[in-house]
Amino acid sequence: SGQGLDDWKPGDTVQIPAGHYSLIDLGNFQGAEGKPITLINSGGLVTVDTFRIRNGARYVRLLGNGDASVARGIKIVGNGGGVCLAAGASDLEVGFVEATACDVGFYVKRDSDAAVPSTVYPNDEMKNISLHDCHIHDVNGEGMYIGHTYPNADPYHANMIPIRLSHVEIANNVVERTGWDGIQLSNARENCSIHHNQVSDFGLTNISSQQAGIILGGNTNGDVYNNT
């Protein structure tokens, strides 16, 4: 359509044409409460090596159900390393997405940076995150790496305290053949749930502390139920 990010308005749907992309990297855009901006495949399967949603993105949905002929119409292929989907957005929904052949399938967190106050506790919070109906498979590390594993001081980022997550739901996903943990949720303080997921063949590299199918990490409260 020739539109740029400045033209996107709350409630808009942005169609990603079917085809292959080496990188989709989006940020500095926001929907509004009850009016998210929806990113959706159009005309068939979208494949991409790496997908990023970051830099202040908020109220956004990434959905792969834009074509009834494809069950998961966005496939992130990874090319053997890195992160398939890296998302630092709040008020985020990801559904009907496939991720494979990378180091981490879904990586949803913000690393602390003193130059960016919104990444340091208690200046902001990532909340209302829904990850559902996705398929993550054949990855070297974690299938889902959600939230910080150093909730009180991050030694890799000057021991700063990272922002918290809350209201996280991980549901109806299939996670299989992961080198490290299948689903990991950390630093997510309240109203979180992990349910109706299928997790199999995890911890395949046999590394200590990286062998859980589903793990609730530090500073996390949540309900875990009806998973296989």
Side-chain angles (χ1 to χ4, degrees):
S1 66
Q3 289 186 325
L5 291 176
D6 292 340
D7 300 304
W8 296 3
K9 298 177 178 62
D12 278 355
T13 295
V14 179
Q15 295 182 336
I16 306 172
H20 180 74
Y21 304 82
S22 60
L23 172 66
I24 297 176
D25 191 342
L26 301 171
N28 299 310
F29 70 98
Q30 296 188 1
E33 187 172 0
K35 295 183 177 180
I37 291 175
T38 300
L39 311 171
I40 195 166
N41 64 303
S42 176
L45 178 65
V46 169
T47 61
V48 57
D49 294 342
T50 303
F51 206 122
R52 299 178 188 141
I53 303 173
R54 53 182 183 161
N55 293 343
R58 199 178 192 102
Y59 300 110
V60 55
R61 301 193 301 168
L62 174 63
L63 300 178
N65 61 348
D67 187 319
S69 68
V70 187
R72 295 181 179 92
I74 296 175
K75 181 176 182 178
I76 312 171
V77 295
N79 276 337
V83 176
C84 279
L85 172 66
S90 183
D91 302 279
L92 169 72
E93 177 184 355
V94 178
F96 309 102
V97 172
E98 180 181 354
T100 187
C102 51
D103 290 330
V104 178
F106 288 2
Y107 182 92
V108 180
K109 56 185 275 193
R110 290 186 208 150
D111 291 322
S112 298
D113 182 347
V116 184
S118 64
T119 65
V120 182
Y121 177 84
N123 298 327
D124 199 1
E125 181 179 64
M126 288 174 61
K127 60 184 178 63
N128 300 326
I129 296 167
S130 173
L131 310 172
H132 64 88
D133 298 287
C134 295
H135 184 198
I136 300 174
H137 61 97
D138 301 289
V139 299
N140 300 323
E142 294 93 349
M144 291 190 181
Y145 191 123
I146 315 301
H148 261 276
T149 54
Y150 295 99
N152 299 315
D154 184 353
Y156 296 100
H157 295 87
N159 284 317
M160 290 180 287
I161 300 175
I163 61 171
R164 309 297 198 219
L165 280 67
S166 70
H167 298 78
V168 179
E169 182 179 30
I170 301 172
N172 299 306
N173 301 286
V174 176
V175 180
E176 53 188 345
R177 296 185 297 278
T178 62
W180 291 14
D181 302 325
I183 296 174
Q184 173 183 283
L185 176 64
S186 300
N187 198 30
R189 63 184 182 85
E190 65 180 8
N191 294 330
C192 299
S193 62
I194 302 174
H195 63 91
H196 293 93
N197 302 282
Q198 298 180 44
V199 185
S200 61
D201 296 318
F202 47 87
L204 294 180
T205 56
N206 203 31
I207 295 176
S208 177
S209 301
Q210 302 290 352
Q211 298 169 303
I214 296 174
I215 183 169
L216 289 180
N219 198 44
T220 303
N221 293 301
D223 295 321
V224 180
Y225 60 93
N226 290 351
N227 299 285
T228 301

